[in-house]
Amino acid sequence: MAVVSDGDAAGDASDDACDPTVFACEADPAPEHALPPLLRVPTAAAAMRVCSPVVAVGLLRSAFHLTDAYWAGALGPEHLSAICVNAFAVWLIQLACSVVATGVQSRVSARVGAGDDARGVADEITQGLWGALGTYLLLLAVTPLVPALYASGLGLETGTQAYALGRAHLQAMLVGSFGLAVGNVLEAAFRGLGKTSSSLKVVAVAVAAAAALDPALMFGWGAFPRCGVAGAAIGASLAALLGAGLHLVALRRACGVTLRFAPPRRREIQKMVRVGLPLASSGAVFTLVSIALGRVASGCGPHHLAAMSLGQKFEAVAFTVCEGFRFACATLVGQWRGAGEPKRAEQAAGRIMTLAAAAAAPFAVAFFFAGADPAGIIARIAGGATADPEVVAAAALYLRWNAGALLFLAVEAVAEGAFTGAGNTFPVLVIGAAGNFARVPIAHYLAFGRGWGIAGLWATVAVTQVFKALAKWWWFENRV
């Protein structure tokens, strides 16, 4: 993919210089000069160096999604309904765009660990960008079919205004997904290099741009056309393109990595897909199962689905923190294995797992005590004096059941990162699919067959979380 021509790169000092903050440079006087800098510091410090900016990125994007919902609500209830109904489809688009990106992080981290220079890393990224282009063309090809199929799958009526608005929003997301696909690959490259702080700066600019563009396009402010809820997708797509461009600049300036044209190599792209596809598929299974569990919750009472949604909102921040440790583990395991040190990779994963569980522990304690006092923070977030007491009580029970399970959410996240760094994510799909699919019949049996009601669903979620975490960790330690 043509990103930077030889002529453009000529004269750029970063083209030939080795960045000692990323690579194991030949002139580096350190005793362990064969190791990249990230592997020369204690594992905890290295993990936090990668993890902290990733968590900040996740929180930034979560805040942005909330502002999008706010502006959609200002347009009217049909617009808000359209953007909320499309949440699952948008998540699936993001998963599709993450397939190649996951492979890029795995391969870039291995290259850095093996002592490759910026040219070798640039080659991996270029092939990843070809994969991103392929992902985009695939999404573009299915754009005319997706809205109707999506509505059919969710049982939505296609003659309503909400459907028409949702279709316009979803089609705009698909058509504009090129920046998302490319940006994901470039962000993954920064993670593999261990330079997530540089990526955070780019994402902050892109999120700010999206926050300004979305309402301008939704309402037609100034010279912008009024696009309604589709404006949210258009603004996000334009901001993603901006972010992709800034990431390219940051790669050269912050990491000394200059991309040049190279033809696509099918085998290299396939290797990336083999790493990323099982993880993305596992995420899709989890989302589908969540929808099915929502039906179980609804069957227990009309207020329990709202309680489930409220409980998941509490979990969102803890999940973002766990995701940061997942990516940090993928980077460090990938670099250690690339350096030919699988034992050190396993030790690093174990250390990061301990850190992640420790980071999740305060959330677990907070969830337990919040669940023990439904009239406190849960009631305030649910609407204060107007909160439905049954929703609040069910959400409190959800938090109590899942407080301890948060520690295992951290373990599972780190295990998935370890598999990514090892370049073998198929066990994630096997265990994840088994554990998640099992949730539906178990929850149905406990809730209705045993008469546990909503407690049966909450218990199922907690117990299967423990199973998935322990099974993934055991597999990594004993079979990889």
Side-chain angles (χ1 to χ4, degrees):
M1 177 172 287
V3 180
V4 178
S5 68
D6 289 345
D8 292 335
D12 191 330
S14 66
D15 184 39
D16 297 312
C18 175
D19 185 344
T21 68
V22 179
F23 301 99
C25 304
E26 292 182 2
D28 196 324
E32 295 182 273
H33 67 272
L35 292 177
L38 200 62
L39 302 186
R40 297 182 207 157
V41 299
T43 297
M48 295 307 299
R49 187 182 300 175
V50 177
C51 171
S52 300
V54 172
V55 172
V57 165
L59 295 176
L60 272 175
R61 287 182 168 145
S62 296
F64 166 68
H65 292 316
L66 290 176
T67 62
D68 251 10
Y70 169 80
W71 290 118
L75 283 171
E78 294 85 0
H79 292 79
L80 179 58
S81 174
I83 204 169
C84 290
V85 167
N86 277 349
F88 174 47
V90 171
W91 175 242
L92 289 179
I93 293 171
Q94 292 172 340
L95 285 175
C97 292
S98 74
V99 170
V100 175
T102 301
V104 168
Q105 177 175 358
S106 176
R107 293 178 64 81
V108 166
S109 61
R111 285 262 197 172
V112 173
D116 279 8
D117 59 12
R119 289 181 181 272
V121 169
D123 183 63
E124 294 289 353
I125 299 172
T126 300
Q127 295 306 309
L129 291 175
W130 280 115
L133 176 60
T135 300
Y136 172 67
L137 293 176
L138 179 61
L139 291 173
L140 197 61
V142 301
T143 296
L145 306 174
V146 167
L149 291 173
Y150 182 65
S152 176
L154 293 183
L156 303 176
E157 295 183 17
T158 58
T160 64
Q161 183 186 7
Y163 168 75
L165 293 170
R167 179 182 60 193
H169 175 263
L170 183 52
Q171 287 178 331
M173 279 293 302
L174 289 163
V175 171
S177 59
F178 179 71
L180 178 63
V182 171
N184 276 5
V185 165
L186 296 174
E187 279 189 53
F190 276 93
R191 292 195 298 267
L193 291 165
K195 297 283 282 187
T196 51
S197 58
S198 298
S199 181
L200 170 60
K201 297 172 186 176
V202 171
V203 172
V205 173
V207 168
L213 285 170
D214 281 18
L217 288 162
M218 293 166 80
F219 291 93
W221 292 346
F224 291 97
R226 181 182 174 89
C227 302
V229 72
I234 297 170
S237 299
L238 292 174
L241 284 172
L242 172 65
L246 292 176
H247 268 118
L248 285 172
V249 174
L251 264 178
R252 183 162 53 173
R253 292 183 177 178
C255 307
V257 177
T258 301
L259 306 187
R260 291 186 175 82
F261 175 83
R265 297 194 297 275
R266 182 173 55 84
R267 289 186 178 180
E268 297 302 310
I269 297 171
Q270 285 177 338
K271 290 177 182 177
M272 295 175 182
V273 171
R274 279 199 292 271
V275 175
L277 186 58
L279 263 178
S281 300
S282 181
V285 168
F286 174 82
T287 308
L288 289 169
V289 168
S290 296
I291 293 174
L293 293 180
R295 295 185 177 182
V296 175
S298 297
C300 293
H303 50 278
H304 286 130
L305 182 57
M308 184 176 178
S309 176
L310 182 59
Q312 289 171 342
K313 284 180 171 61
F314 275 87
E315 284 182 323
V317 175
F319 176 80
T320 301
V321 171
C322 292
E323 284 290 278
F325 283 104
R326 175 169 77 90
F327 287 126
C329 187
T331 296
L332 290 172
V333 169
Q335 290 197 8
W336 275 119
R337 291 180 72 94
E341 296 279 359
K343 286 295 183 183
R344 299 287 293 274
E346 185 177 330
Q347 292 167 2
R351 177 66 174 133
I352 296 170
M353 185 266 288
T354 303
L355 291 172
F363 291 100
V365 173
F367 281 18
F368 180 82
F369 284 106
D373 181 24
I377 188 172
I378 301 176
R380 289 196 292 272
I381 291 177
T386 62
D388 186 330
E390 290 185 316
V391 171
V392 171
L397 185 61
Y398 178 92
L399 292 182
R400 289 202 302 274
W401 266 106
N402 284 279
L406 276 183
L407 303 178
F408 294 92
L409 176 65
V411 173
E412 181 184 25
V414 172
E416 290 180 357
F419 282 116
T420 301
N424 175 20
T425 57
F426 184 68
V428 174
L429 175 58
V430 172
I431 298 171
N436 286 320
F437 277 131
R439 283 178 166 178
V440 179
I442 295 173
H444 195 278
Y445 172 72
L446 292 178
F448 306 121
R450 301 295 298 176
W452 288 20
I454 196 63
L457 174 55
W458 301 162
T460 299
V461 172
V463 171
T464 52
Q465 177 61 70
V466 174
F467 161 75
K468 290 190 299 174
L470 295 179
K472 288 177 182 179
W473 188 254
W474 176 87
W475 196 319
F476 173 72
E477 283 201 318
N478 294 279
R479 302 291 294 274
V480 175

